[in-house]
């Protein structure tokens, strides 16, 4: 009779069944084999038997370490019949087993311990940092494997490491880490060619991870592609495979997500396969993870069918799972948040008409009960999450704020005031998580995904609540929390070492410096068969673990506010006074605030004004709608205000017009659309704003008794960023009067950026001898740009450097940026926007080279500090990463250290641009005007039919001045000013 304590014999029996293959498709049989060998009811009970036997074994017994190692290797099989082997027990067994000094054995034990920990979601959810240790241990196991060792072990270790990285990214944030994990799993899948069942299962897992990335980026086409990949792979996963249920659940959930994307775009239900129903009708009541998976699927179907009964079932399943969690641990937080979400969704399915006393009706009481349950759960989950470092901090805060706001609307005005206040406070506190999650990411693309749709989904709602409640300080904070986060992250990353040094964290600062910037081009040949971009993601720049450590240090220091909070109105006012500006004005479009139980309402548009005295005020703008016919017609005509996420809008060229169709210049339709847009801009915004400032005294920077044109900085939200507000016009007599005749209008990506720029030492770019770099027609196909640049260099900067098609490549240009501290950079060339790409906006330079926005914000060209950057190029102030990110070439230069940047909103006409730029430098150098005033004066010069050309203007430019039409907005209105 076999000795049931002979684990070496049991391991040989297992090997006989599996050969060199993994255990995956034979787990049930192998688990039964373990129980039979041990003589226990199931394999989980066998662990208790063997562990107790091992503990009684003397440590000096030569069988002690081998027994521990074999038992540890059997744990994955034993867990098939129930939970067993705690993390502490696994560590104890591994420590004993490692006393055997065989390299292969050491590698196996190290790898198995990591995989046992990874297999235990209770341990990893309780302490997600364990996953970092798993990754390190599996790295160590891989290094310990002797050369030429069996490929099965190496493949298993590689897959385990990638799964651990993916789970760590899911629990702790870090899109770059998730991308690296996906690429590692894709490479490891090649090693499963002789195990088609496991290869199909791994394909499902990879497609599920990629679908999650696509959903985060709102990429419907990619989402549909990865759902299809899962469907094809799942058909090859046998029913007996232990991962089959998980793969089915992934697919069901991803179908729900795809349906949500399609419904959001079309407003219609998805006609594809219905959410899976009935697959988890009776999940194991002792398996909380199975309960949650079933609840999510039932919830998706209930939402699809608006089925209250099914939603109640989902709530019941979540409750069962929550009862098995320890309050406050990671799994409890996630489960409680999902349960609260289900309660809020159920409240929205109950038919109810809001009217006086209707909250006392049966339906009203049911709704209140569900909302109160959600509020209680979310308050507890928020306390457990603790702060913005938690990946669910934003989601929990948003749900709780919405629930509190909804509940307040079912109470009398006075009684609801307390809940409205709490909703604002919770919502505003959640917004600090936006900055945390963006700064945590490696590179602009991942940061963009982390902050995607932040403004429209949350910040704008909170701001509208605050405006409606008269809490304007909160509205300012909410609006700026969602603005230009990529630029903020770039500035933080550039200054991390100096902040750490100031805190005495010299070693951490050096580690950050040693990691270097994220390279912008793939390195050929790295990491074997991985795709070049995968190599880039996996190896370059500070990784997410280093970023998290740094963020934790900085967040516990006096730098916390700078990192996570936008400036206060008082801080904004101080910057306005420094810049000599009268007001910062957010333009907030009208919009509906969506709340549970369908209580949403439409709030009117508003101008939120922060004056130089620090006192915010709001001006209602009832005609400021994103669906205004003038704005939608302008966009439909192919304007520069097109959504940067949409492709196929033509080839942006400096010699095109303000709106383009592919391969065409300015059309009459486009010119008329722009003209009507600017008329609407006056009626909807500038008329009431001009009234706010007209006749006011005490403008910032005005001398006693002096009359001065008011100076304002605009922060237009959403698609309003496509509008040239300074060119808004009204009819006056037989002609027109433009906004820039009554106001000096500048722009800013955010108040945070404005304050950052105001803190820089002023640069006197009009002073004689200041350095200058002028680049003209580097691609050789812009005749007037070359003439413009040559004239500007010869007349205004004769001691500066001039580069052309022979010399102005990206390397030479980047090298000279460092020498322009406080000087002038003028670029007369092509600029292009390529939304969604790694290089999303760039200047075309000589020899086919490029200078990209990403180089300025995260690459080797960052931290250049010119006093003035003139981007006499098309699209140079069009955001390539969404309107509210305001991520353009112009703002990238600003983030990189420039004091002032002039950029364009559309493909500007070459001829008119040459004159406008020449005159801007004329007013800058000859009349010593500040940059913003110089641009304004040049635009007014273009508007003047009796304009005079300066004596030193070259004849070829002077001749053109005769033919400039003042009413041709395309020729002058596209250029904007930002900064000093």
């Amino acid at each position: 009779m076999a000795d049931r304590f002979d684990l070496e014999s049991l391991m040989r029996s297992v090997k006989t069944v599996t050969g060199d293959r993994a255990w995956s498709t034979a787990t049930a049989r192998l688990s039964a084999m373990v129980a039979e060998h041990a003589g226990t009811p199931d394999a989980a009970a066998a662990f208790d038997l063997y562990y107790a036997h091992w503990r009684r074994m003397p440590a000096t017994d030569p069988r002690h370490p081998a027994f521990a190692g074999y038992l540890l290797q059997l744990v994955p099989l034993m867990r098939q019949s129930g939970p067993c082997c705690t993390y502490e027990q696994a560590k104890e067994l591994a420590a004993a087993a490692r006393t055997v000094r065989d390299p292969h054995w050491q590698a196996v034990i190290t790898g198995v311990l990591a995989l046992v920990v990874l297999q235990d979601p209770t341990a990893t959810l309780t302490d997600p940092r364990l996953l970092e240790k798993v990754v390190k241990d599996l790295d160590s196991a891989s290094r310990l494997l002797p050369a030429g060792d069996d490929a099965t072990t190496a493949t298993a270790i590689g897959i385990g490491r990638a799964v651990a990285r993916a789970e760590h990214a899911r629990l702790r944030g870090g899109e770059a880490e998730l991308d690296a994990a996906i690429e590692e799993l894709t490479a490891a899948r090649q090693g499963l060619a002789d195990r088609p069942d496991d290869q199909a299962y791994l394909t499902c897992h990879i497609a599920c991870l990629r679908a999650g990335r696509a959903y985060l980026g709102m990429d419907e086409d990619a989402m549909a592609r990865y759902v299809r990949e899962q469907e094809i792979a799942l058909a090859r996963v046998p029913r007996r495979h232990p991962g089959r249920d998980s793969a089915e659940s992934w697919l069901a959930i991803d179908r729900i997500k795809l349906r949500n994307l399609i419904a959001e775009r079309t407003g219609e239900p998805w006609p594809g396969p219905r959410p899976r129903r009935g697959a988890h009708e009776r999940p194991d009541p002792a398996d909380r993870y199975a309960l949650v998976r079933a609840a999510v699927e039932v919830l998706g179907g209930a939402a699809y069918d608006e089925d209250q009964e099914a939603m109640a079932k989902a709530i019941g399943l979540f409750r069962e799972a929550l009862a098995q969690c320890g309050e406050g641990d990671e799994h409890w937080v996630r489960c409680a948040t999902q349960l609260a979400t289900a309660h809020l969704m159920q409240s929205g399915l109950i038919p109810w008409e809001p009217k006086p006393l209707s909250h006392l009706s049966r339906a009203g009481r049911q709704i209140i009960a569900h909302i109160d349950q959600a509020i209680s759960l979310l308050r507890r989950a928020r306390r457990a999450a603790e702060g913005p470092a938690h990946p669910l901090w934003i989601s929990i805060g948003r749900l709780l704020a919405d629930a509190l706001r909804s509940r307040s609307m079912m109470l009398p005005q006075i009684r609801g005031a307390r809940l409205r206040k709490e909703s604002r406070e919770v919502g505003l506190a959640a917004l600090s998580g936006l900055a945390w999650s963006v700064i945590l990411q490696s590179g602009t693309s991942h940061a963009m995904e982390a902050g995607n749709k932040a403004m429209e989904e949350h910040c704008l709602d909170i701001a509208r609540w605050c405006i409606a409640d008269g809490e304007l300080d909160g509205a300012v904070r909410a609006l700026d929390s969602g603005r230009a986060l990529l630029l903020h992250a770039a500035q933080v990353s550039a200054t991390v070492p100096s902040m750490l040094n100031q805190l005495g964290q010299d070693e951490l600062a050096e580690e950050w410096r040693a990691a270097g910037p994220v390279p912008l081009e793939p390195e050929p040949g790295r990491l074997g068969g991985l795709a070049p971009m995968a190599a880039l993601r996996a190896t370059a720049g500070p990784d997410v673990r280093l970023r998290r450590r740094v963020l934790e240090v900085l967040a516990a220091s006096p730098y916390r506010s700078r990192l996570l909070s936008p400036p206060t109105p008082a801080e904004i006012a101080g910057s306005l006074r420094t810049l000599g500006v009268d007001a910062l004005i957010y333009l907030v479009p009208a919009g509906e605030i969506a709340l549970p139980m369908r209580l949403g309402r439409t709030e009117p548009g508003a101008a939120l004004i922060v004056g130089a005295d620090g006192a915010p005020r709001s001006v209602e703008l009832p005609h400021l709608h994103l669906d205004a016919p003038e704005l939608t017609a302008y966009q439909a005509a192919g304007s520069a205000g097109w959504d940067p996420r949409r492709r196929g809008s033509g080839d942006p060229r400096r010699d095109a017009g303000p709106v383009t169709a592919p391969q065409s210049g300015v059309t009459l339709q486009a010119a008329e659309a722009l003209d009507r847009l600017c008329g609407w801009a006056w009626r909807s915004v500038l008329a009431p704003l001009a009234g706010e400032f007209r006749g006011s005294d005490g403008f910032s920077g005005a001398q006693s008794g002096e009359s001065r044109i008011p100076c304002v900085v605009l922060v237009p939200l959403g698609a309003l960023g496509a509008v040239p507000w300074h060119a808004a016009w009204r009819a006056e007599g037989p002609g027109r009067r433009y906004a820039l005749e009554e106001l000096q209008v500048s722009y800013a990506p955010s108040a945070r950026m404005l304050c950052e720029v105001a803190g820089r030492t002023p640069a006197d770019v009009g002073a004689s001898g200041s350095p200058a770099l002028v680049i003209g027609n580097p691609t050789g196909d812009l005749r007037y740009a070359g003439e413009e640049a040559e004239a500007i260099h010869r007349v205004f900067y004769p001691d500066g450097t001039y580069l052309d098609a022979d010399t102005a490549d990206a390397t030479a240009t980047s090298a000279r940026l460092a020498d322009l501290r406080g000087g002038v950079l003028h670029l007369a060339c092509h600029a292009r926007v390529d939304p969604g790409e790694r290089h999303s906006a760039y200047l075309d330079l000589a020899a086919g080279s490029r200078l990209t926005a990403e180089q300025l914000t995260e690459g080797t060209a960052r931290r250049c500090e010119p006093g003035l950057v003139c981007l006499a190029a098309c699209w140079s102030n069009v955001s390539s990463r969404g309107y509210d990110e305001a991520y353009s070439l112009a703002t990238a230069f600003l983030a990189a250290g420039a004091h002032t940047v002039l950029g364009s909103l559309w493909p500007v006409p070459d001829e008119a641009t040459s004159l406008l730029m020449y005159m801007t430098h004329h007013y800058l150098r000859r009349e010593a005007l500040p940059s913003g005033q110089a641009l304004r004066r040049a635009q007014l010069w273009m508007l003047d039919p009796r304009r005079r050309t300066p004596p030193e203007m070259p004849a070829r430019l002077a001749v053109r001045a005769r033919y400039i039409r003042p009413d041709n907005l395309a020729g002058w209105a596209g250029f904007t000013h930002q900064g000093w």
Side-chain angles (χ1 to χ4, degrees):
M1 180 177 178
D3 179 3
R4 66 174 179 170
F5 292 107
D6 184 359
L7 294 190
E8 185 175 5
S9 171
L10 177 57
M11 287 294 295
R12 284 196 299 269
S13 298
V14 168
K15 191 75 169 177
T16 300
V17 172
T18 62
D20 291 330
R21 295 170 177 262
W23 298 345
S24 58
T25 54
T27 48
R29 177 182 174 188
L30 295 173
S31 181
M33 181 187 296
V34 169
E36 181 181 355
H37 185 91
T40 54
D42 55 44
F47 175 82
D48 295 333
L49 172 71
Y50 289 136
Y51 179 75
H53 175 75
W54 175 75
R55 289 295 304 270
R56 292 192 297 270
M57 193 181 295
T60 56
D61 189 322
R63 297 171 299 168
H64 187 267
F67 192 95
Y70 291 137
L71 178 54
L72 186 65
Q73 292 178 65
L74 289 168
V75 166
L77 285 179
M78 295 170 166
R79 284 180 172 170
Q80 293 300 312
S81 59
C84 65
C85 188
T86 66
Y87 174 53
E88 294 302 323
Q89 289 172 327
K91 286 198 301 182
E92 186 184 11
L93 291 169
R98 283 183 180 133
T99 59
V100 176
R101 297 300 179 188
D102 175 76
H104 176 83
W105 177 264
Q106 289 274 325
V108 169
I109 296 303
T110 300
V112 168
L113 173 62
L115 294 174
V116 165
V117 174
L118 181 61
Q119 196 184 43
D120 183 3
T122 301
T124 53
L125 281 169
T126 302
D127 183 6
R129 287 172 296 185
L130 280 178
L131 289 166
E132 293 188 30
K133 187 176 187 312
V134 167
V135 172
K136 291 178 181 176
D137 285 348
L138 289 170
D139 280 338
S140 175
S142 182
R143 289 191 297 270
L144 287 169
L145 279 176
D149 209 48
D150 69 284
T152 301
T153 303
T155 298
I157 289 174
I159 291 173
R161 180 182 184 277
V163 169
R165 290 191 73 174
E167 185 67 4
H168 185 265
R170 184 181 73 86
L171 294 177
R172 303 271 285 178
E175 305 307 324
E177 184 174 35
L178 181 56
D179 278 351
I182 291 171
E183 299 296 355
E184 288 178 17
L185 285 171
T186 302
R189 180 173 55 185
Q190 299 173 7
L192 300 177
D194 61 336
R195 293 151 54 186
D197 297 348
D198 291 334
Q199 192 175 57
Y201 170 75
L202 188 57
T203 299
C204 289
H205 187 44
I206 292 168
C208 173
L209 294 174
R210 286 179 167 155
R213 302 284 284 108
Y215 187 71
L216 184 65
M218 310 297 287
D219 189 337
E220 181 187 317
D221 291 340
M223 188 79 195
R225 184 166 65 253
Y226 297 134
V227 165
R228 182 58 182 155
E229 285 183 14
Q230 290 180 71
E231 291 169 344
I232 293 170
L234 183 63
R236 303 199 307 269
V237 178
R239 286 285 174 190
R240 68 183 185 279
H241 195 286
R244 172 79 191 204
D245 278 351
S246 294
E248 288 180 347
S249 181
W250 298 335
L251 176 57
I253 292 169
D254 283 340
R255 281 174 171 165
I256 292 170
K257 291 178 179 178
L258 176 58
R259 187 201 70 227
N260 291 342
L261 288 181
I262 295 173
E264 181 174 331
R265 174 177 57 82
T266 65
E268 300 292 334
W270 179 38
R274 296 170 62 82
R276 188 170 67 122
R277 304 289 295 276
H280 288 291
E281 289 294 338
R282 292 180 178 81
D284 182 353
D287 186 343
R288 58 186 176 180
Y289 305 104
L291 287 167
V292 168
R293 286 196 301 270
V296 170
E297 292 184 44
V298 173
L299 182 145
Y304 184 92
D305 294 328
E306 296 190 352
D307 185 339
Q308 292 184 55
E309 183 178 347
M311 189 66 73
K313 180 179 179 181
I315 289 172
L317 291 168
F318 279 129
R319 279 180 177 154
E320 288 184 62
L322 191 66
Q324 298 179 37
C325 305
E327 179 157 348
D329 69 25
E330 184 67 20
H331 194 259
W332 186 92
V333 170
R334 292 174 181 272
C335 191
T337 303
Q338 290 170 309
L339 174 55
T341 301
H343 276 296
L344 292 174
M345 293 175 72
Q346 183 73 302
S347 74
L349 296 179
I350 297 172
W352 180 73
E353 183 180 349
K355 55 186 178 181
L357 302 180
S358 60
H359 62 284
L360 300 177
S361 66
R362 182 172 182 273
R365 291 195 304 272
Q366 289 179 329
I367 289 171
I368 288 172
H370 282 293
I371 293 178
D372 286 347
Q373 285 280 345
I375 289 172
S376 175
L377 286 164
L378 291 167
R379 281 172 171 162
R380 290 151 63 195
R382 184 171 179 266
R383 284 195 295 270
E386 295 184 339
H390 196 286
L392 291 183
W393 178 253
I394 302 171
S395 298
I396 293 170
R398 178 186 175 188
L399 286 168
L400 179 54
D402 283 353
L404 290 164
R405 195 77 181 181
S406 296
R407 187 69 177 89
S408 74
M409 296 174 72
M410 303 187 75
L411 293 170
Q413 182 73 12
I414 295 176
R415 290 179 59 194
R418 181 183 60 81
L419 290 182
R420 287 195 295 276
K421 179 182 178 184
E422 186 182 355
S423 73
R424 294 193 305 269
E425 292 172 346
V426 168
L428 289 169
L431 299 184
S432 60
L434 289 174
W436 181 286
S437 61
V438 170
I439 296 170
L440 184 65
Q441 308 307 320
S442 299
T444 303
S445 296
H446 293 123
M448 172 66 192
E449 289 162 357
N452 193 28
K453 294 179 74 65
M455 171 61 76
E456 52 215 348
E457 289 187 351
H458 191 46
C459 300
L460 202 49
D461 278 353
I462 301 298
R464 285 172 174 146
W465 294 352
C466 292
I467 292 172
D469 295 349
E471 296 293 333
L472 300 186
D473 282 22
V476 172
R477 178 180 169 188
L479 291 174
D480 222 66
S481 291
R483 291 286 304 180
L485 291 173
L486 302 184
L487 301 172
H488 174 55
Q491 291 181 300
V492 168
S493 295
T495 56
V496 159
S498 61
M499 288 190 288
L500 292 174
N501 288 141
Q502 288 291 324
L503 296 172
Q505 297 281 343
D506 295 339
E507 291 185 8
L508 194 55
E510 187 53 39
E511 190 175 349
W512 183 277
R513 287 191 186 95
V518 177
L520 300 173
E521 296 291 352
E523 298 177 29
R526 295 293 303 275
L527 298 184
L530 294 187
M533 186 53 71
L536 174 68
R537 290 169 178 153
T539 62
D543 65 19
V544 69
R545 288 180 289 278
L546 175 56
R547 287 176 176 271
R548 185 176 293 108
R549 286 163 50 209
V550 166
L551 268 175
E552 288 169 352
V553 169
L554 295 178
S557 77
Y559 290 112
R560 178 184 179 88
S561 179
R562 182 196 164 194
L563 261 63
L564 303 182
S565 301
T568 64
E571 291 168 331
I572 295 170
S575 296
L576 293 175
R577 292 192 296 271
T578 298
L579 296 170
V581 174
D582 300 300
L584 175 80
I585 305 174
Y586 295 93
L587 299 182
V588 184
E592 182 179 2
I593 302 174
L595 291 170
M597 27 176 254
R598 302 170 185 175
L599 282 176
R601 67 181 188 186
T602 299
E603 295 290 342
L608 182 59
I609 304 171
V610 182
D613 60 357
R617 65 187 189 275
S618 177
V619 176
E620 187 170 311
L621 302 174
H623 303 297
L624 188 59
H625 291 263
L626 293 180
D627 60 356
E630 296 85 354
L631 180 57
T632 55
Y634 178 63
Q635 293 171 306
S639 75
W642 55 286
D643 184 339
R645 290 166 293 191
R646 200 182 78 207
R647 301 294 187 90
S649 295
D651 181 23
R653 301 177 59 189
R654 176 172 157 162
D655 52 354
V659 284
T660 63
Q663 307 303 320
S664 68
V666 184
T667 64
L668 180 61
Q669 177 190 8
E672 289 176 348
L674 175 61
D675 197 65
R676 288 194 299 271
L677 176 76
C678 291
W680 167 80
W682 178 270
R683 297 189 302 275
S684 63
V685 172
L686 269 299
L689 280 188
E692 283 288 309
F693 291 97
R694 190 182 297 120
S696 299
D697 297 322
F699 291 126
S700 177
Q703 301 299 318
S704 178
E706 178 186 5
S707 176
R708 185 177 69 83
I709 292 291
C711 180
V712 298
V713 176
L714 300 184
V715 183
L717 305 185
L720 301 179
V723 180
W725 297 99
H726 56 284
W729 62 267
R730 73 175 191 274
E732 186 175 79
R736 292 178 173 181
R737 187 164 179 83
Y738 290 91
L740 82 165
E741 297 180 71
E742 301 194 15
L743 295 171
Q744 181 175 318
V745 180
S746 182
Y747 299 83
S750 64
R752 186 184 265 133
M753 177 65 79
L754 184 82
C755 292
E756 176 76 20
V757 172
R760 299 169 188 169
T761 304
D764 187 3
V765 296
S768 176
S770 59
L773 172 62
V774 180
I775 296 176
N777 191 18
T779 52
D781 59 347
L782 291 173
R783 172 188 168 190
Y784 297 124
E787 292 177 1
E788 159 203 325
E790 289 172 3
I792 288 171
H793 174 253
R794 184 176 65 257
V795 175
F796 303 115
Y797 309 102
D799 296 328
T801 301
Y802 182 78
L803 301 179
D804 57 16
D806 294 325
T807 53
D809 62 23
T811 302
T813 301
S814 298
R816 293 178 184 274
L817 289 180
D819 300 327
L820 281 181
R821 186 182 182 91
V824 173
L825 172 63
H826 182 93
L827 292 135
C829 60
H830 288 298
R832 302 181 191 271
V833 175
D834 200 353
E837 296 300 319
R838 179 68 178 97
H839 299 158
S840 62
Y842 54 89
L843 297 165
D844 275 333
L845 298 177
S849 61
R850 299 173 176 177
L851 179 62
T852 71
E854 288 75 14
Q855 281 176 282
L856 295 164
T857 59
E858 60 184 272
T860 54
R862 63 181 176 179
R863 307 321 298 169
C864 62
E865 299 179 6
L868 169 65
V869 177
C870 290
L871 296 171
C874 49
W875 309 92
S876 53
N877 193 30
V878 171
S879 178
S880 60
R881 296 186 181 273
Y883 288 117
D884 289 312
E885 279 301 338
Y887 188 87
S888 65
L889 281 162
T891 59
F893 269 106
L894 208 61
H899 293 69
T900 303
V901 184
L902 309 182
S904 65
L905 291 173
W906 53 65
V908 289
D910 197 15
E911 207 170 329
T913 298
S914 301
L915 285 165
L916 180 67
M917 288 294 100
Y918 182 92
M919 292 305 298
T920 299
H921 287 280
H922 167 80
Y923 288 115
L924 182 74
R925 300 289 285 184
R926 296 297 182 253
E927 299 193 17
L929 292 181
S931 303
Q933 293 182 33
L935 175 63
R936 174 177 172 271
R937 284 286 297 275
Q939 290 172 324
L940 289 171
W941 182 87
M942 298 282 284
L943 279 173
D944 185 359
R946 296 185 298 274
R947 70 184 75 87
R948 289 188 173 186
T949 58
E952 55 193 353
M953 178 181 281
R956 283 178 296 184
L957 288 178
V959 169
R960 286 179 224 150
R962 303 174 193 168
Y963 303 103
I964 297 299
R965 299 195 338 264
D967 60 348
N968 179 17
L969 298 180
W972 62 268
F975 280 92
T976 60
H977 166 268
Q978 299 183 76
W980 277 83

